[in-house]
Amino acid sequence: MPSFSAEVFQNEFISEGSSDVHAIVSVTCTGAGEAGRGGGGDAAEIIIVDTSGSMLDAKIVAARQAAAVAVDQILDGTWFAIISGTHVATRAFPYPNARVSMVQMEPGARAAAKEAISRLEADGGTAMGSWLKLAGQLFDTVPQATQRHAILLTDGQNQSEQPHQFQNAIDSVTGRFQCDCRGVGADWDVAELRRVSTALLGTVDLIADPASMAADFEQLMQKAMGRGVAEATLRVWAPQGSQLLWVRQVSPNVEDLTSRRVEVNPLTSAFPTGAWGDESRDYHVAVRVPPQAVGQERLAARVQLLVGQETVSQGLVKAKWSGDDALTTRIDPAVAHYTGQAELATAIQEGLAAKAAGDAETATTKLGRAVALAAETGNDEATSKLRKVVDIDDPATGTVRLKRSVDKLDEMALDTASTKTTRVNKR
Amino acid sequence: MNENPPTDAAGQQINCPNCGEDAEPGDLFCEGCGQDLPDGITPAAAVGNRRPGGMAHPNASSPTRPMDMNALSPTCRNCAGTTFLDGYCENCGTPAVKVRDHWQERPATWVAGMSDRGIRHHRNEDGLALSARPEPGSRAILVVCDGVSSSADSDIASLAAARAARDVLERPRPDVPSVAGRISAWNERLAMAGAEANKQAIEAGRDPSGRAGERQDSPPSCTFAAAVFDSGVIVVGWVGDSRIYWIPDSGEPEQMSRDDSWATEQILAGVPREEAENGPRAHAITRWLGPDSPDSVPTRDSRVPDRPGWLLVCSDGLWNYASPARDLAEVVRALADEVQGDPGLLAGRLIDWANSRGGQDNITVALARIAPIPPQRGPAAEAALQPTQPMPEGWNLYPDADYGSPET
């Protein structure tokens, strides 16, 4: 049986006249079990492989291999399908002439799917929106599958669709399945794929070398199969007269959930969090409460995780007004750490965007700030990736110079890694 | 079967203040969590919903005397919300408190009181006890005792004292037709009530609660302020600095009690009120109830009001923010208008008002709405000034009781 726990990290004490309360709520799941085997419904997986013309040669070979490895990881009994994506979306397996859209995994199906994968050829354009829409249609044929996940692999930009068509497609499948996105090579657009992964509660990452694709897919699919909790919802109550400033996932990666808010009642908001395996996720909750007199206490937020209608864990965020500066000026280390990490992600993304737009001054400032924040928060991965884009004169002050020539892949690696956070030592 | 089921006048169900489980009339324990149900607490819906738009229709026969003061209050002391989760109000997030820290009594439609911890103190050491006949303007008994916070267990002393006094004052007695006779009779009864209250305050000191870390060096003590309205006459008695005000709807309001306090001694000696009440020893009282009381006999006074108004008894947690009768009357009149003269709502608003001004002390307010004024026999003003009349038969319940010496 899955079990959840929640811990709250905050400084409850705020000074007279203050109204903003910040807390990190750390939710941990253990005993999640395997996808589709918890009794709450079946699991379904779709592998979407870009088979556009640019995927020629080494890339399509690596993609075939990666898809086959992923198929090996899909647990027996899981509903699955393979989509071949060009300027149109085609169901590659079950074959287009099959009468069913998805089949359940078993040794025979695994062999047949690999056979179909080996026949994938690179030819045509790229219309990712149509791939996502077909995936949605296929999932719809298996209502018994309550846990739905897809992996999308591409190597290029979405050239065969208008941006609004792409966005409409994303909107139409949001909430219907989760999708992890992977880009191979240097010709795809990080921001474009991030739109998909953010909306569909997944991740986005770079596969710089086609040769490492199989290992990446294997790990991705293992992770998906290890999510035995199909869907959980983060629910946040805040008192009357207060304002929920933001709810942001800050670990393992930064994801602002505020725009995903669904109103439960005027005081309570719900945010979908997708499927859970054995893992910890940290959330930064910020609430503005009406200031009270010194000595008063208010519950500023109740943060709950729900599976179905059941509350599986909760944490309480409190506000206690105090006249003691020694109490109120202390900033909780977890709040400070993740505030810095979220700012780091923004600084990297804005810095790279400015650099791409030819605004060297802004790029230098933002990436310099990123270097300082990475040093401050001990994010060594970000520091080493930043080093490939800027020359660092002084990490403490964020004094940097843009490198004259930068490998595009290094920039993309920095961009995709920008939202990954390091955990704080909370005690 | 319990005679006072935990429902309001309309038969509306109340919920367990601990877990929210529905309670049935007569339930002594919560079905959900086993907690003792606070028998006799009037739920917010019955005493008056303090949120805008909801006028309550309380029934005078509904239970109004909290029994289990250690249970959690079913009503939020901030917003009057009635749903709690994790020990916090589900509407505004204010922590739930014990009944002892925030409760309301409403013995009749025209009489209500509320006692609240305030903001700065961690415990409510005020006591409150009320009694009233259902018919408006018939008879009301308001008692407020303010525990002296520097002494141990004064929260126990103050509540025991207030309830003991109320119990003495509400004992049956024959009707006395004349105004002067009634005043005289109540004077005696107030002395008796003060003596009984003093006895209970002393008892509280003999049976210490055993709270760890509590100061035991100074015995429990409290103030005493009681007001009786009986068919047209107001008779009051006090020890210490809890106050009794008569606030007519028009004309000059009046502080009927004169504090037994250092500040008042200063004022009588010619120091301006503001200066005296803000002095370093402004809150030092010169008389109190308890084991080391120098003189526990209530000072008494009476009035025969000639127009409708509010009889108000309160602890210094209220009057600290508007000490002169005129200032307090202005607040009371304005808030009374806002709540259409409902005493239950008005008590809540006055508590809110004091808390909004800082809530530096416990706040207790007892109110009787005096309207209409019943006709009196003979010139009322003259009657009120009559010297003490011989006691009518049936008044002295304890002929041998020692009430102390009368005022000179």
Side-chain angles (χ1 to χ4, degrees):
Chain A
M1 275 297 285
S3 120
F4 288 86
S5 63
E7 257 188 296
V8 177
F9 302 90
Q10 68 160 143
N11 178 10
E12 301 173 345
F13 296 101
I14 61 175
S15 59
E16 187 169 15
S18 291
S19 55
D20 289 3
V21 184
H22 292 267
I24 301 297
V25 181
S26 184
V27 183
T28 301
C29 175
T30 53
E34 292 175 323
R37 296 187 173 176
D42 294 344
E45 284 287 341
I46 292 178
I47 300 168
I48 304 169
V49 182
D50 184 343
T51 53
S52 62
S54 59
M55 286 288 290
L56 264 178
D57 304 331
K59 280 191 208 163
I60 193 69
V61 172
R64 284 185 202 133
Q65 200 190 344
V69 169
V71 161
D72 277 336
Q73 298 302 322
I74 297 176
L75 297 175
D76 285 359
T78 304
W79 298 89
F80 82 105
I82 316 282
I83 289 174
S84 159
T86 59
H87 53 285
V88 291
T90 311
R91 195 181 73 214
F93 188 84
Y95 291 105
N97 59 357
R99 279 171 305 176
V100 292
S101 298
M102 296 191 80
V103 292
Q104 281 182 284
M105 184 61 85
E106 44 150 344
R110 195 171 282 118
K114 286 184 183 178
E115 169 66 23
I117 288 167
S118 72
R119 293 168 187 272
L120 294 175
E121 293 295 344
D123 182 26
T126 302
M128 286 187 260
S130 70
W131 312 349
L132 295 171
K133 278 159 84 172
L134 177 60
Q137 288 162 18
L138 299 187
F139 280 128
D140 280 351
T141 65
V142 283
Q144 64 271 50
T146 51
Q147 180 170 348
R148 301 163 171 197
H149 175 255
I151 299 176
L152 186 155
L153 172 75
T154 186
D155 77 328
Q157 298 179 16
N158 199 38
Q159 284 160 337
S160 311
E161 272 177 338
Q162 296 297 319
H164 73 271
Q165 289 177 303
F166 183 43
Q167 190 59 51
N168 286 345
I170 293 172
D171 292 345
S172 74
V173 296
T174 297
R176 292 164 66 190
F177 60 93
Q178 286 183 254
C179 186
D180 286 310
C181 300
R182 292 295 178 267
V184 60
D187 298 328
W188 58 284
D189 182 354
V190 177
E192 202 166 72
L193 228 47
R194 185 175 280 140
R195 273 158 72 191
V196 178
S197 66
T198 295
L200 302 186
L201 311 181
T203 58
V204 60
D205 214 339
L206 164 74
I207 300 173
D209 177 5
S212 60
M213 203 187 291
D216 190 80
F217 267 48
E218 182 178 28
Q219 195 211 340
L220 258 186
M221 193 56 84
Q222 272 174 0
K223 213 170 182 182
M225 291 290 111
R227 294 191 187 119
V229 178
E231 164 73 43
T233 305
L234 193 73
R235 192 179 266 202
V236 181
W237 171 95
Q240 188 160 61
S242 70
Q243 185 191 353
L244 192 57
L245 296 176
W246 70 71
V247 176
R248 182 192 285 154
Q249 183 184 298
V250 288
S251 177
N253 58 318
V254 178
E255 198 76 76
D256 195 349
L257 307 186
T258 312
S259 61
R260 296 181 191 161
R261 177 179 180 270
V262 178
E263 183 178 304
V264 177
N265 61 49
L267 303 183
T268 312
S269 310
F271 306 90
T273 66
W276 284 65
D278 287 352
E279 60 181 306
S280 282
R281 300 186 199 176
D282 294 348
Y283 299 94
H284 183 167
V285 176
V287 192
R288 183 162 291 166
V289 292
Q292 303 296 327
V294 165
Q296 288 283 73
E297 178 185 349
R298 289 286 183 274
L299 184 64
R302 179 184 291 107
V303 182
Q304 300 175 312
L305 200 76
L306 278 81
V307 174
Q309 290 305 305
E310 193 197 345
T311 303
V312 291
S313 72
Q314 75 168 16
L316 302 180
V317 179
K318 295 167 189 174
K320 292 175 180 168
W321 282 266
S322 167
D324 184 350
D325 287 351
L327 291 175
T328 59
T329 52
R330 197 184 135 265
I331 297 173
D332 179 82
V335 171
H337 175 80
Y338 285 129
T339 302
Q341 296 269 291
E343 202 197 325
L344 170 64
T346 308
I348 290 173
Q349 287 172 30
E350 290 178 356
L352 290 175
K355 186 167 179 289
D359 179 354
E361 194 183 329
T362 304
T364 306
T365 309
K366 296 278 184 190
L367 293 173
R369 176 73 185 136
V371 164
L373 285 164
E376 214 171 276
T377 58
N379 192 330
D380 297 336
E381 189 188 342
T383 301
S384 75
K385 288 190 160 69
L386 279 160
R387 252 178 223 293
K388 292 177 179 166
V389 179
V390 293
D391 290 317
I392 301 173
D393 292 336
D394 180 5
T397 58
T399 311
V400 301
R401 286 168 287 117
L402 299 181
K403 279 188 185 292
R404 283 188 190 283
S405 74
V406 176
D407 188 339
K408 179 81 192 301
L409 284 171
D410 286 335
E411 274 189 17
M412 292 172 77
L414 176 62
D415 196 349
T416 54
S418 65
T419 60
K420 290 176 192 158
T421 55
T422 53
R423 294 193 84 89
V424 67
N425 182 10
K426 286 164 195 147
R427 285 165 208 86
Chain B
M1 198 61 181
N2 189 335
E3 285 187 2
N4 292 331
T7 54
D8 74 3
Q12 182 192 326
Q13 225 169 32
I14 63 167
N15 298 330
C16 171
N18 185 44
C19 73
E21 181 81 15
D22 288 344
E24 292 294 331
D27 280 357
L28 294 174
F29 304 99
C30 171
E31 295 280 341
C33 66
Q35 158 129 8
D36 286 3
L37 287 175
D39 172 24
I41 296 170
T42 312
V47 293
N49 186 335
R50 284 158 62 201
R51 277 173 287 193
M55 275 297 289
H57 299 283
N59 182 325
S61 68
S62 67
T64 61
R65 292 182 187 174
M67 303 293 278
D68 183 357
M69 301 302 283
N70 287 318
L72 288 178
S73 171
T75 311
C76 173
R77 58 190 286 266
N78 179 53
C79 73
T82 54
T83 314
F84 290 88
L85 202 56
D86 307 316
Y88 293 92
C89 172
E90 187 55 2
N91 181 56
C92 72
T94 301
V97 294
K98 284 181 187 175
V99 169
R100 184 67 185 85
D101 285 339
H102 177 80
W103 86 95
Q104 185 156 10
E105 297 194 21
R106 181 141 197 185
T109 52
W110 59 293
V111 176
M114 186 183 266
S115 184
D116 184 84
R117 189 178 68 189
I119 288 171
R120 290 304 179 98
H121 285 219
H122 294 293
R123 194 161 77 197
N124 184 6
E125 292 174 331
D126 282 358
L128 166 72
L130 307 177
S131 174
R133 290 184 174 177
E135 191 195 334
S138 54
R139 184 189 305 167
I141 292 157
L142 317 176
V143 187
V144 170
C145 293
D146 180 347
V148 176
S149 58
S150 60
S151 59
D153 288 342
S154 53
D155 56 328
I156 297 170
S158 66
L159 189 61
R163 287 178 170 180
R166 188 260 323 274
D167 291 350
V168 168
L169 293 169
E170 75 176 353
R171 278 180 195 141
R173 56 93 180 144
D175 281 329
V176 182
S178 87
V179 167
R182 237 175 291 145
I183 289 172
S184 160
W186 281 114
N187 265 319
E188 288 297 322
R189 189 61 81 84
L190 276 166
M192 196 190 290
E196 192 60 27
N198 190 42
K199 207 168 120 191
Q200 289 303 320
I202 294 168
E203 278 302 312
R206 285 216 188 93
D207 182 21
S209 65
R211 285 193 192 104
E214 188 92 39
R215 289 183 53 166
Q216 294 292 343
D217 53 338
S218 106
S221 40
C222 65
T223 69
F224 174 84
V228 175
F229 181 82
D230 182 15
S231 313
V233 304
I234 298 170
V235 189
V236 303
W238 71 92
V239 176
D241 69 349
S242 295
R243 287 185 181 173
I244 303 139
Y245 290 86
W246 165 242
I247 301 170
D249 292 347
S250 60
E252 197 64 25
E254 184 188 4
Q255 179 186 329
M256 291 185 68
S257 55
R258 293 175 302 279
D259 301 347
D260 298 308
S261 72
W262 182 85
T264 298
E265 283 177 8
Q266 294 290 298
I267 293 166
L268 292 175
V271 176
R273 176 187 275 258
E274 189 148 331
E275 190 181 317
E277 287 183 350
N278 289 299
R281 294 177 57 212
H283 287 264
I285 53 176
T286 50
R287 295 206 307 146
W288 57 86
L289 303 187
D292 59 352
S293 167
D295 166 20
S296 64
V297 180
T299 312
R300 280 149 291 167
D301 201 353
S302 59
R303 287 294 176 281
V304 179
D306 63 353
R307 64 193 74 185
W310 292 98
L311 179 59
L312 185 156
V313 184
C314 64
S315 61
D316 59 349
L318 180 74
W319 67 250
N320 269 335
Y321 299 110
S323 176
R326 279 185 188 184
D327 294 1
L328 190 59
E330 197 179 317
V331 175
V332 169
R333 285 167 178 162
L335 293 176
D337 278 353
E338 286 180 19
V339 298
Q340 285 89 43
D342 181 281
L345 297 174
L346 179 56
R349 289 294 179 92
L350 285 166
I351 300 266
D352 290 348
W353 175 80
N355 275 328
S356 75
R357 304 293 297 265
Q360 296 280 351
D361 204 345
N362 306 143
I363 308 150
T364 300
V365 178
L367 287 161
R369 174 68 193 156
I370 310 300
I373 292 295
Q376 299 299 327
R377 292 183 195 172
E382 271 177 48
L385 296 171
Q386 286 292 312
T388 304
Q389 300 284 304
M391 287 301 296
E393 279 294 311
W395 268 81
N396 280 338
L397 298 179
Y398 303 112
D400 300 330
D402 176 14
Y403 304 149
S405 339
E407 289 286 297
T408 52

